[in-house]
Amino acid sequence: MNKGTVFIISGPSGSGKDTILKEVLKKRTDIYFSISSITRDMREGEVEGEKYHFISRKEFEEGLANEAFLEYNKYLENYYGTPKAPIEENLALGNDVLIECDVNGAAKKKKKMPEVVSVFIMPPSFEVLKKRLSGRGTESAEQIEGRLNAALNEIARANEYDYIVVNDALETAVSDFLLVMKSQRFKLNNQKQLINEVLKNA
């Protein structure tokens, strides 16, 4: 059995990344979605185990001492980390692993695991990006401008990724993302074990 592949997905606010993720996970129930551990308090509307595992600072620091995280960050006195064990377990079972992170987190993960496949979700144009960020109607013009600038800074780093998926139409973007995942299965590095098994039993 061939090992699974780790896929990193990033994209700026307004790219539709979270919606694509939800649809991909509906269609591919065999994918393991990596859930980060975090030490901040749970916010209203958040659910334990949905996007984060909420753990104590002591538990997190014990994990750090035991090298239990693939990578971690500290922000506003809170720790955020990617647990290593469930990723390794799923890869060994042949399951693909999906990790959502920003451009900085992606760069850290690629240093730790050079074999990961990174996918950047791109809006089709600047005009569409601006429309999506303005369309929520819950933020001031200054806040929207800040989010737009942050999004453009992330897009400027899209050339650090292996694949670009443009989210113009959701159904097409989901199909394209799944195609990227499927194509990795046929790469030589992911088929070496099969080749060896066939030769061994010849």
Side-chain angles (χ1 to χ4, degrees):
M1 180 174 60
N2 291 310
K3 284 184 66 176
T5 301
V6 176
F7 293 87
I8 291 173
I9 179 171
S10 303
S13 180
S15 66
K17 172 189 61 184
D18 290 341
T19 306
I20 289 173
L21 266 176
K22 285 178 185 175
E23 293 303 311
V24 165
L25 292 170
K26 280 182 193 174
K27 293 177 184 291
R28 282 278 310 272
T29 55
D30 57 319
I31 297 173
Y32 171 72
F33 179 64
S34 176
I35 299 173
S36 299
S37 294
I38 188 171
T39 61
R40 69 163 170 76
D41 293 335
M42 193 185 300
R43 294 170 182 160
E44 187 177 345
E46 289 183 323
V47 178
E48 163 61 30
E50 186 175 79
K51 196 167 183 178
Y52 298 112
H53 287 305
F54 296 90
I55 65 174
S56 69
R57 188 185 183 91
K58 182 183 177 184
E59 285 177 282
F60 199 105
E61 289 176 344
E62 285 173 354
L64 288 179
N66 294 319
E67 298 184 350
F69 297 101
L70 177 62
E71 57 82 33
Y72 75 97
N73 284 306
K74 192 175 182 183
Y75 179 70
L76 298 178
E77 298 305 310
N78 288 309
Y79 287 111
Y80 298 73
T82 306
K84 194 191 296 182
I87 292 174
E88 292 176 343
E89 288 164 10
N90 276 276
L91 291 177
L93 291 170
N95 297 329
D96 289 332
V97 173
L98 194 52
I99 303 176
E100 178 192 358
C101 56
D102 64 14
V103 291
N104 293 320
K108 284 187 176 183
K109 288 175 179 66
K110 290 186 86 168
K111 279 187 179 179
K112 287 281 184 77
M113 300 177 71
E115 70 276 16
V116 303
V117 177
S118 54
V119 184
F120 192 88
I121 306 300
M122 182 80 76
S125 67
F126 175 78
E127 289 73 22
V128 169
L129 176 65
K130 192 171 183 180
K131 186 178 179 181
R132 286 176 182 172
L133 291 176
S134 304
R136 298 171 182 177
T138 57
E139 297 173 313
S140 67
E142 187 178 345
Q143 287 173 320
I144 292 168
E145 190 66 27
R147 288 165 71 86
L148 187 60
N149 287 334
L152 292 175
N153 287 334
E154 288 188 69
I155 290 170
R157 294 180 61 181
N159 58 7
E160 299 174 16
Y161 287 72
D162 300 310
Y163 293 92
I164 303 294
V165 170
V166 178
N167 184 17
D168 191 0
L170 176 62
E171 190 175 332
T172 303
V174 170
S175 177
D176 289 345
F177 189 89
L178 289 169
L179 186 60
V180 167
M181 297 190 79
K182 187 175 182 180
S183 69
Q184 287 301 123
R185 288 278 172 180
F186 302 108
K187 280 203 164 186
L188 175 61
N189 283 344
N190 294 326
Q191 295 295 334
K192 283 183 178 178
Q193 190 171 342
L194 174 61
I195 295 168
N196 292 336
E197 284 174 6
V198 171
L199 291 174
K200 185 174 69 176
N201 296 317

